[in-house]
Amino acid sequence: RVVRACAGRHVTKSPLMRHLKSALVLLGVTALSTYFLALAYHRASHDAILQLYAQERILAEQAAQGITTYFSYNRQMLEFLAQDPDVAANTPRGQRLLRDVFVSGSDNLLSITRMAADGRILYTYPSEEATGRSILHQPHVQAFLERRRPVVSRVFTSVQGFETVALHVPVYDGERFAGSLAALIPFDIISKRYLSGI
């Protein structure tokens, strides 16, 4: 009888036990939700960073290609001029030719310079007052005279007072090495044109 009476009785839980069970369930749901939200945030931020790196890499590659094309164009122009006998001999006609080239491309150049084999400026335009100065102390000039091959300098302050990059190509007067033909290229134009997007 006692067993039957106990089996027939419905055991009721106290209100404290019900609240405790609800609190534990709520705590578990909150912990799981927080975990999944953190996981989703981590994945989204990781994907966004990878996408940003990919975009920056594309921009950097485009900038490098643009700068390479820009310097290649200027190098070809200087090499073409360096083959002119009047430019090589630094005659008045050769100087006039350099002035005309500078004027036609002055938005891309700070100056155009004919340098002797000893590192002296034979002629420069537009800062003609720098003619006669030695630029032999400049590292890129030393490298050029040692190798006698085209050289692009690092950014430096020119004798004319510009923040610039110099591009030198060799000049031969017949078979004789006669120095270089150089263009000073404004660094701010390079940075604005090719690097501002990065």
Side-chain angles (χ1 to χ4, degrees), residues 80-143:
F80 178 76
L81 287 170
Q83 293 174 14
D84 187 286
D86 287 309
V87 170
N90 194 40
T91 66
R93 182 195 165 276
Q95 292 176 357
R96 194 168 48 253
L97 178 60
L98 295 181
R99 279 195 305 273
D100 292 344
V101 167
F102 174 83
V103 169
S104 67
S106 61
D107 56 334
N108 289 318
L109 303 175
L110 288 171
S111 74
I112 192 162
T113 301
R114 175 70 175 84
M115 184 189 77
D118 63 358
R120 279 181 310 107
I121 296 175
L122 293 174
Y123 179 73
T124 187
Y125 189 83
S127 302
E128 294 176 292
E129 67 278 1
T131 298
R133 291 190 193 176
S134 174
I135 53 175
L136 190 57
H137 64 282
Q138 296 174 349
H140 62 275
V141 171
Q142 294 169 7

Side-chain angles (χ1 to χ4, degrees), residues 21 24-25 31 38 46 76 78 83 92 98 109 123 128 149 157 168 175 177 181 189 194 198:
K21 183 178 176 185
L24 288 174
V25 168
H46 180 71
Q76 289 172 3
L78 290 176
Q83 293 174 14
L98 295 181
L109 303 175
Y123 179 73
E128 294 176 292
R149 289 196 312 249
T157 303
H168 285 256
E175 296 295 314
F177 174 70
L181 184 59
I189 285 181
Y194 299 108
I198 300 180

Side-chain angles (χ1 to χ4, degrees), residues 39 50 160 169 175 177 197:
L39 186 63
L50 288 178
Q160 296 92 335
V169 300
E175 296 295 314
F177 174 70

Side-chain angles (χ1 to χ4, degrees), residues 1-197:
R1 264 189 201 173
V2 173
V3 173
R4 262 191 238 143
C6 284
R9 250 193 233 162
H10 181 62
V11 178
T12 58
K13 295 182 183 173
S14 71
L16 181 62
M17 288 301 286
R18 279 197 309 262
H19 289 300
L20 185 59
K21 183 178 176 185
S22 297
L24 288 174
V25 168
L26 184 61
L27 186 61
V29 169
T30 303
L32 282 174
S33 299
T34 303
Y35 171 76
F36 286 120
L37 282 172
L39 186 63
Y41 172 79
H42 177 71
R43 275 196 192 142
S45 66
H46 180 71
D47 290 347
I49 289 169
L50 288 178
Q51 186 177 9
L52 182 63
Y53 285 158
Q55 288 172 349
E56 287 179 348
R57 187 169 41 254
I58 290 168
L59 287 172
E61 287 169 0
Q62 288 173 342
Q65 185 176 6
I67 291 170
T68 299
T69 302
Y70 180 78
F71 276 96
S72 178
Y73 167 79
N74 284 301
R75 177 181 168 177
Q76 289 172 3
M77 181 261 302
L78 290 176
E79 288 174 338
F80 178 76
L81 287 170
Q83 293 174 14
D84 187 286
D86 287 309
V87 170
N90 194 40
T91 66
R93 182 195 165 276
Q95 292 176 357
R96 194 168 48 253
L97 178 60
L98 295 181
R99 279 195 305 273
D100 292 344
V101 167
F102 174 83
V103 169
S104 67
S106 61
D107 56 334
N108 289 318
L109 303 175
L110 288 171
S111 74
I112 192 162
T113 301
R114 175 70 175 84
M115 184 189 77
D118 63 358
R120 279 181 310 107
I121 296 175
L122 293 174
Y123 179 73
T124 187
Y125 189 83
S127 302
E128 294 176 292
E129 67 278 1
T131 298
R133 291 190 193 176
S134 174
I135 53 175
L136 190 57
H137 64 282
Q138 296 174 349
H140 62 275
V141 171
Q142 294 169 7
F144 169 78
L145 291 174
E146 182 182 315
R147 298 178 197 140
R148 297 183 180 183
R149 289 196 312 249
V151 167
V152 176
S153 74
R154 295 175 182 234
V155 178
F156 73 104
T157 303
S158 69
V159 293
Q160 296 92 335
F162 313 125
E163 283 293 305
T164 186
V165 175
L167 171 61
H168 285 256
V169 300
V171 174
Y172 288 89
D173 192 359
E175 296 295 314
R176 181 182 65 86
F177 174 70
S180 75
L181 184 59
L184 294 182
I185 298 167
F187 179 70
D188 61 335
I189 285 181
I190 296 170
S191 61
K192 283 176 192 167
R193 187 177 295 172
Y194 299 108
L195 304 177
S196 61

